[in-house]
Amino acid sequence: MSPDTDRDPLFQYNDPIFADERLLEITHLPEPGRIVGRDDEMQSVAEALNPAIFGSQPSHLFIFGKTGTGKSLISRSVTQRVIREAERDGVEVKYAFIDCGEQNTEAAIVKTIGQIVNEPDRTGITIPDRGLGTGDYYKRLWQCVDACTDVTIVILDEIDMLEDDEVLRKLSRAGENRRISESNIGIIGISNKIDYPDQLSERVKSSLSRDELVFPPYDANQLIDILEKRRDAFHEGLLTDDVIPLTSALAAQEHGDARKAIDILRNAGRLAKKQNDSRVTESHVRDAKEKTEADRFSELIEGSPQQAKAILFALTLLTENSSSDEFPTKVIYNQYQQIVTRVGLDPLSERRVQEILQEQNFLNVIQSEREGRGRGKGAHAKHRLLEDPDIVKKVLLRDSRLSGLGK
Ligand SMILES: Nc1ncnc2c1ncn2[C@@H]1O[C@H](COP(=O)(O)OP(=O)(O)O)[C@@H](O)[C@H]1O
Ligand SMILES: [Mg+2]
């Protein structure tokens, strides 16, 4: 951009660090040439979706793998390629990408798919944001799917957050049950919980035939390749030589996580910019790693269900108000009961609370240890908060229902 003296001097017009920061946004969909080390996985997704190119029924597919292994990216990328190929033969494929962390009820999901697929000019149908019962949203969805598509691919990301899996059964059986007659629906379910299928209801388990795929973590060299292909997010020559290898090594420490690698690189650039430094260096990367981990921790808690937050709040209060830092399930449960009464949530059973504590344990937010020798497993466990209670509390109080507890 040439300097333009007419511009308002209050603002900055040329980014000193980034040539195109969007390349490092997590939701950015890179072109196929920038996708590294996922050829086999792409091939498998392509095989499942292949029939869609001819307007036929694709296979349903579940994809598992840890955070940042490219599950969402590969699903979206292959789906778009299917859409493009189908178009050449005059076949209309549409796709709806649903984040079940944000939309986890049956009605919300059915409504959203309908709104994405619907072309009001063609159908004369409107799908209002509210006011219809779930059954009516389904009816309109079936009409829109039939009228506007040959194949609809529904990607349910973070599918383990679904409140009720009935939607899977209805979507997968729509053709068989003659809800739709002119078109087909294919489902891609994505989760970082490999045991998610155990959690499905018997009805769904038996009715939903599907392929399953597991995405392995990346190794440090693959992470280097992934970042190298996005180097042009920065102005040329601005990264010191150690930046990409160090970022990759740090992101590979727990498991090879491309999301973490990209987040660290972007945050390193932002820090350099904020500090008015002319190059991005190793020290920016180290600081960016800290920031990335803190951000992710907040997100992790914020994205948890309200009941889990209430339980975590109980443990946080206990930790704050006691000299001990380990608490038995029973003690946490008593504190939890007081909290849910105050905020008007229905209390869960002690057994369920125990299970949620174990899940939180899994998420590295708390650590649980079994008391005594083997007896009674969960009921005698003790739990300890792993993060600073001030930070945890601050994040929890952002929840609309829990916010009152801060007063
Ligand atoms: N193989 C890859 N090549 C290029 N970029 C990748 C690759 N895998 C993941 N990414 C990038 O890393 C980030 C996280 O990937 P994502 O698909 O969201 O992971 P997941 O859904 O498994 O958590 C995204 O920005 C994505 O573009
Ligand atoms: Mg994802």
Side-chain angles (χ1 to χ4, degrees), residues 25-26 28 30 34-38 66-73 218 226 230 258-259 262:
E25 270 159 19
I26 290 301
H28 166 79
R34 293 182 195 257
I35 298 177
V36 173
R38 279 292 178 247
K66 294 189 172 166
T67 323
T69 52
K71 304 180 297 296
S72 304
L73 163 66
Y218 297 109
I226 290 172
R230 312 229 189 163
R259 174 186 311 240
I262 291 176

Side-chain angles (χ1 to χ4, degrees), residues 23-32 34-38 42 63-76 97 157-158 190 192 215 218 222-223 225-227 229-230 257-263:
L23 290 176
L24 299 178
E25 270 159 19
I26 290 301
T27 51
H28 166 79
L29 184 60
E31 63 237 44
R34 293 182 195 257
I35 298 177
V36 173
R38 279 292 178 247
M42 278 199 278
I63 301 178
F64 303 106
K66 294 189 172 166
T67 323
T69 52
K71 304 180 297 296
S72 304
L73 163 66
I74 299 302
S75 308
R76 285 165 71 210
F97 186 93
D157 205 356
E158 318 285 343
I190 302 176
N192 51 20
F215 282 28
Y218 297 109
Q222 288 173 315
L223 293 178
D225 285 348
I226 290 172
L227 296 183
K229 292 229 152 67
R230 312 229 189 163
D257 179 341
R259 174 186 311 240
K260 192 163 182 184
I262 291 176
D263 278 339

Side-chain angles (χ1 to χ4, degrees), residues 154-168:
V154 177
I155 303 180
L156 297 170
D157 205 356
E158 318 285 343
I159 192 171
D160 48 280
M161 305 284 274
L162 268 187
E163 208 170 66
D164 178 350
D165 56 22
E166 183 61 16
V167 66
L168 291 176

Side-chain angles (χ1 to χ4, degrees), residues 247 250-251 260-268 285 288-289 292:
T247 304
L250 292 174
K260 192 163 182 184
I262 291 176
D263 278 339
I264 295 176
L265 192 62
R266 188 186 61 248
N267 281 328
V285 172
K289 177 186 181 249
T292 303

Side-chain angles (χ1 to χ4, degrees), residues 119-287:
E119 292 169 60
D121 293 346
R122 269 167 93 175
T123 60
I125 294 171
T126 52
I127 302 185
D129 264 326
R130 56 195 75 230
L132 292 186
T134 309
D136 289 321
Y137 279 122
Y138 270 116
K139 265 190 211 139
R140 292 189 194 190
L141 172 67
W142 305 140
Q143 288 172 332
C144 295
V145 163
D146 260 344
C148 303
T149 77
D150 296 308
V151 181
T152 302
I153 296 171
V154 177
I155 303 180
L156 297 170
D157 205 356
E158 318 285 343
I159 192 171
D160 48 280
M161 305 284 274
L162 268 187
E163 208 170 66
D164 178 350
D165 56 22
E166 183 61 16
V167 66
L168 291 176
R169 206 176 64 86
K170 293 231 177 69
L171 289 174
S172 65
R173 298 211 136 178
E176 215 171 302
N177 292 342
R178 317 217 165 206
R179 303 288 178 227
I180 51 176
S181 52
E182 315 281 318
S183 58
N184 293 292
I185 296 178
I187 302 171
I188 300 181
I190 302 176
S191 174
N192 51 20
K193 300 205 171 110
I194 193 141
D195 57 357
Y196 170 68
D198 301 343
Q199 187 181 316
L200 290 170
S201 64
E202 289 305 323
R203 265 154 76 93
V204 172
K205 229 183 270 177
S206 58
S207 74
L208 181 67
S209 66
R210 60 194 183 260
D211 297 345
E212 292 190 359
L213 268 182
V214 177
F215 282 28
Y218 297 109
D219 62 33
N221 287 326
Q222 288 173 315
L223 293 178
I224 291 180
D225 285 348
I226 290 172
L227 296 183
E228 282 295 348
K229 292 229 152 67
R230 312 229 189 163
R231 186 187 266 277
D232 53 340
F234 296 89
H235 291 301
E236 218 176 315
L238 218 142
L239 303 183
T240 56
D241 287 347
D242 43 6
V243 163
I244 286 182
L246 177 63
T247 304
S248 306
L250 292 174
Q253 264 171 2
E254 271 171 50
H255 69 267
D257 179 341
R259 174 186 311 240
K260 192 163 182 184
I262 291 176
D263 278 339
I264 295 176
L265 192 62
R266 188 186 61 248
N267 281 328
R270 286 189 181 169
L271 280 175
K273 184 159 130 183
K274 205 162 147 194
Q275 295 163 6
N276 285 322
D277 293 330
S278 56
R279 300 193 80 192
V280 183
T281 64
E282 185 188 327
S283 85
H284 297 126
V285 172
R286 293 197 186 278
D287 292 347

